[in-house]
Amino acid sequence: MKIVLITQDDPFYLARNLDYLLKKLPPFAQVVGTVVADVSPFGKRETFTQKARKTYSIFGGPFFLRYGLKFILSKLRRQNSVRYVLKKHGVPLIHLEGNINRPESLQKIAAYQPDLLISIAGNQIFKRPLIDLAPKGCLNLHTALLPKYRGLMPSFWVMKNDEKYTGVSVFFVDEGIDSGPILVQKKVEIGNRSQAGLIKYTKQLGMDAIVESVEKIHAGTYELIENDASQMTYFSFPTREDVNAFLAAGKTFY
């Protein structure tokens, strides 16, 4: 089974988790190429200065300094680079110019003859020609128990809303946002974790869920879980007021 990954150059969590995933994929699954977009933590393309200003204004000085330092250190440590991990595993980069849905982008991806596409922190909306490009479909990982908490930063929102449980969902992508049928879902007790601790745990759990999904697709025997739109909730990026409420409720970022 030939797989093309679609991800972004996240400096905080993705490199170690992609390394974990590439080590755990079964022998029949070969990652033949990866699209790596520029990091976009706010769900849309912004300049570095815009990202920095928004982080500071919403999350405050201590958060900004902590993650700013982590960002700098990640650039100095090659093992924290997504591209470094891919090179270590011999996975080629697929270089695209502009939107992933452009005909030229689709042609480049199709040249790798993927059987399956897997999006991990992909930061663009996929259109039908891309979704249908691989015969076995296109999977996406979302770190929440869909259909609840569709959208951005589910780890923040489940904690702010004092949920007792969250989880991960691997689903087949459709043209909506986190709306496709679910293939694998795993539940997690939040407990007293910080947001960083919750992200770290669910990211790795998500890699296990992807491996399980690949095995199910290879076997050809699986039952889909309905991603019931009537039960959905959707969250966008938090405001400063949301962050204040998060902290007032005794929740911690790290």
Side-chain angles (χ1 to χ4, degrees):
M1 182 190 297
K2 294 181 181 179
I3 297 171
V4 165
L5 298 179
I6 301 170
T7 188
Q8 61 176 295
D9 198 12
D10 175 282
F12 302 117
Y13 300 101
L14 269 181
R16 67 174 69 95
N17 284 296
L18 285 176
D19 186 51
Y20 178 84
L21 174 65
L22 291 167
K23 290 174 180 175
K24 287 205 68 174
L25 281 172
F28 62 77
Q30 178 189 8
V31 179
V32 295
T34 302
V35 176
V36 182
D38 292 335
V39 65
S40 182
F42 303 111
K44 62 180 180 179
R45 299 300 180 92
E46 294 176 316
T47 67
F48 180 84
T49 301
Q50 287 173 323
K51 295 171 188 175
R53 287 175 177 170
K54 183 177 283 189
T55 300
Y56 182 85
S57 65
I58 293 175
F59 293 99
F63 183 101
F64 177 82
L65 290 173
R66 181 182 180 90
Y67 280 94
L69 179 60
K70 288 186 71 173
F71 177 82
I72 293 169
L73 290 175
S74 74
K75 295 299 182 183
L76 299 175
R77 297 171 179 164
R78 290 193 306 163
Q79 63 269 30
N80 289 340
S81 164
V82 167
R83 288 177 170 86
Y84 172 82
V85 168
L86 295 172
K87 184 178 180 180
K88 183 178 80 169
H89 288 276
V91 178
L93 288 175
I94 303 174
H95 298 280
L96 304 181
E97 294 183 8
N99 192 284
I100 195 171
N101 297 288
R102 295 173 68 230
E104 295 85 353
S105 298
L106 298 180
Q107 288 174 6
K108 286 187 176 182
I109 297 171
Y112 288 80
Q113 299 181 315
D115 300 299
L116 179 69
L117 303 179
I118 302 178
S119 172
I120 304 172
N123 56 6
Q124 297 185 53
I125 301 295
F126 294 177
K127 295 183 179 179
R128 180 54 60 185
L130 175 60
I131 295 168
D132 292 341
L133 188 148
K136 294 186 182 297
C138 178
L139 297 178
N140 186 60
L141 169 65
H142 187 69
T143 48
L145 292 175
L146 295 172
K148 304 292 186 183
Y149 293 97
R150 296 181 185 180
L152 299 179
M153 288 189 67
S155 61
F156 172 87
W157 292 109
V158 295
M159 292 179 67
K160 176 185 177 294
N161 294 340
D162 202 30
E163 299 283 0
K164 303 305 178 189
Y165 295 91
T166 185
V168 299
S169 305
V170 176
F171 63 94
F172 283 104
V173 176
D174 61 15
E175 291 183 283
I177 298 176
D178 302 327
S179 55
I182 300 161
L183 182 56
V184 172
Q185 196 164 60
K186 297 181 180 292
K187 191 174 183 180
V188 174
E189 185 174 8
I190 297 171
N192 61 356
R193 289 185 174 94
S194 66
Q195 189 203 18
L198 184 61
I199 292 173
K200 183 178 179 180
Y201 184 82
T202 54
K203 288 289 186 187
Q204 183 164 313
L205 185 66
M207 300 304 110
D208 290 328
I210 289 173
V211 171
E212 184 178 336
S213 298
V214 169
E215 290 172 340
K216 285 176 178 282
I217 291 172
H218 179 70
T221 54
Y222 55 82
E223 293 184 10
L224 296 174
I225 303 167
E226 183 182 7
N227 194 345
D228 187 357
S230 69
Q231 301 297 317
M232 66 88 73
T233 57
Y234 177 85
F235 293 86
S236 187
F237 202 75
T239 64
R240 181 66 190 181
E241 290 71 27
D242 294 321
V243 170
N244 289 340
F246 177 95
L247 297 172
K251 311 300 181 182
T252 58
F253 287 116
Y254 39 80

